[in-house]
């Protein structure tokens, strides 16, 4: 019963933190959406267009409202993630040994940092590149061809940038996951090296599924995934070396304790 009460308390803290963050993001939803449109303005500059004439539309009366709700939910989850992760750690920490808690805590800190790195890469580089690719498909009206202009919907633009942020943020968790598996002995650096060819193929398949159907975003997600896979191999090797040093030190300490506890031989008469 105490365990269930503790679980309820942690859930209440997590849900309350998310709700407060959701309300905060919903209050500033329009400002946040305008912030997300900045990469689109950069793309218009790259395409030689006027960034001050960037226009997005919505075709249903309730579309922009629900777009703001989705944006508030996404922003609330990002803001509340450190609190939620802390509550999860506090719930499971009493059931872990001290060395297990010390091993788990660095990965808990590294996870949001890596997610923010992936989101920053999307915001400052890949979203402008993707939007520039789509803007390049526009067609100027002449006597022989019609005018074709890009007028993205607010919901579709938000869905695009949220998909990219989620995809890159998820991929950037690869070193954390593989390092944890190597720490508990479920994975080795040798196994990662042997599966490298398959990992490259899977990286491109996952990129094709998670990203929009354009080559820039697909290649842009697959290449960091492969780089992070190599980082995972390096991290697994460091963990294996650390575990080997700990094992040798433990064996040396146990051998010294056995020698100290062994009774001295009786003197000969």
């Amino acid at each position: 019963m105490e365990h269930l009460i503790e679980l309820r308390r942690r859930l209440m803290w997590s849900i309350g933190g998310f709700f407060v963050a959701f309300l905060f993001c919903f209050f500033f939803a329009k400002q946040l959406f305008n912030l997300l449109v900045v990469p689109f303005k950069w793309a218009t500059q790259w395409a030689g267009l006027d960034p001050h004439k960037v226009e997005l539309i919505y075709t249903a009366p309730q579309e922009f409202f629900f777009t703001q709700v989705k944006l508030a939910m996404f922003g609330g989850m990002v803001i509340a993630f450190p609190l939620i992760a802390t509550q999860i750690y506090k719930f499971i920490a009493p059931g872990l040994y001290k060395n297990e808690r010390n091993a788990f805590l660095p990965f808990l800190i590294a996870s949001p940092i890596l997610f923010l790195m992936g989101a920053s890469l999307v915001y400052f580089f890949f979203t402008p590149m993707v939007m520039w690719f789509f803007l390049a498909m526009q067609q100027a009206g002449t006597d022989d061809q019609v005018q074709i202009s890009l007028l993205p919907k607010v919901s579709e633009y938000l869905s695009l940038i949220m998909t990219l942020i989620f995809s890159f943020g998820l991929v950037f968790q690869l070193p954390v996951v593989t390092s944890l598996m190597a720490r508990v002995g479920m994975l080795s650096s040798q196994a990662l090296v042997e599966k490298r060819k398959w990992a490259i193929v899977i990286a491109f398949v996952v990129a094709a599924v998670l990203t929009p159907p354009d080559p820039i975003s697909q290649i842009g997600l697959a290449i960091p995934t492969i780089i992070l896979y190599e980082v995972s191999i390096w991290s697994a090797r460091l963990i294996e070396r650390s575990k080997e040093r700990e094992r040798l030190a433990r064996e040396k300490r146990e051998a010294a304790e056995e020698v100290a506890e062994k009774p001295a031989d009786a003197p000969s008469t």
Side-chain angles (χ1 to χ4, degrees):
M1 184 59 66
E2 292 178 358
H3 198 62
L4 294 176
I5 293 174
E6 178 71 11
L7 176 61
R8 184 184 65 179
R9 188 162 67 93
R10 298 303 176 188
L11 287 175
M12 290 177 63
W13 272 102
S14 301
I15 295 174
F18 168 75
F19 185 70
V20 172
F22 169 80
L23 292 178
F24 176 81
C25 292
F26 185 76
F27 184 78
F28 295 101
K30 290 185 179 180
Q31 291 84 346
L32 291 174
F33 191 85
N34 288 326
L35 185 64
L36 294 178
V37 175
V38 172
F40 190 12
K41 294 182 179 180
W42 294 339
T44 57
Q45 289 180 330
W46 296 354
L49 304 174
D50 187 2
H52 300 289
K53 294 183 179 180
V54 171
E55 182 180 1
L56 286 85
I57 64 172
Y58 61 97
T59 57
Q62 73 279 7
E63 181 179 348
F64 189 45
F65 171 76
F66 284 112
T67 299
Q68 295 181 67
V69 172
K70 292 179 181 178
L71 177 59
M73 292 180 65
F74 184 76
M77 182 58 68
V78 172
I79 294 175
F81 177 79
L83 174 63
I84 296 173
T86 302
Q87 296 302 314
I88 295 174
Y89 174 75
K90 288 183 177 180
F91 178 71
I92 66 175
L96 301 175
Y97 292 106
K98 183 178 179 180
N99 60 336
E100 294 174 337
R101 291 196 297 268
N102 294 335
F104 186 77
L105 188 59
F107 298 108
L108 188 64
I109 298 173
S111 182
I113 295 176
L114 290 173
F115 184 88
L116 290 177
M117 290 175 59
S120 300
L121 188 63
V122 169
Y123 185 85
F124 291 103
F125 183 71
F126 283 105
T127 299
M129 287 291 294
V130 170
M131 295 308 300
W132 171 80
F133 175 81
F134 292 143
L135 285 169
M137 297 181 180
Q138 293 185 122
Q139 180 174 284
T142 61
D143 295 336
D144 300 328
Q145 58 189 19
V146 298
Q147 175 77 23
I148 301 177
S149 302
L150 174 62
L151 289 175
K153 297 169 63 177
V154 290
S155 59
E156 293 175 349
Y157 179 78
L158 179 65
S159 177
L160 171 65
I161 195 168
M162 284 176 56
T163 300
L164 289 174
I165 290 176
F166 178 77
S167 302
F168 277 77
L170 187 64
V171 165
F172 269 65
Q173 302 304 311
L174 182 61
V176 174
V177 175
T178 54
S179 297
L180 279 173
M181 294 178 68
R183 173 72 68 177
V184 298
M186 297 176 60
L187 197 64
S188 65
S189 60
Q190 183 62 32
L192 291 173
V193 172
E194 293 175 354
K195 301 296 189 299
R196 180 184 280 121
K197 295 180 180 179
W198 288 101
I200 294 174
V201 175
I202 293 174
F204 280 96
V205 172
V206 171
V209 172
L210 295 179
T211 60
D214 66 278
I216 294 178
S217 59
Q218 292 177 4
I219 297 175
L221 180 59
I223 292 178
T225 303
I226 297 172
I227 295 175
L228 290 170
Y229 188 83
E230 297 297 327
V231 172
S232 301
I233 296 175
W234 174 76
S235 177
R237 286 174 177 169
L238 289 180
I239 291 173
E240 290 172 352
R241 292 171 184 172
S242 177
K243 292 174 66 176
E244 181 65 19
R245 287 195 298 268
E246 292 176 358
R247 185 185 65 83
L248 293 176
R250 184 173 62 253
E251 291 179 353
K252 184 177 180 180
R253 185 172 59 253
E254 292 175 352
E257 291 175 354
E258 290 179 358
V259 172
E261 294 176 356
K262 186 177 180 180
D265 293 338
S268 56
T269 57

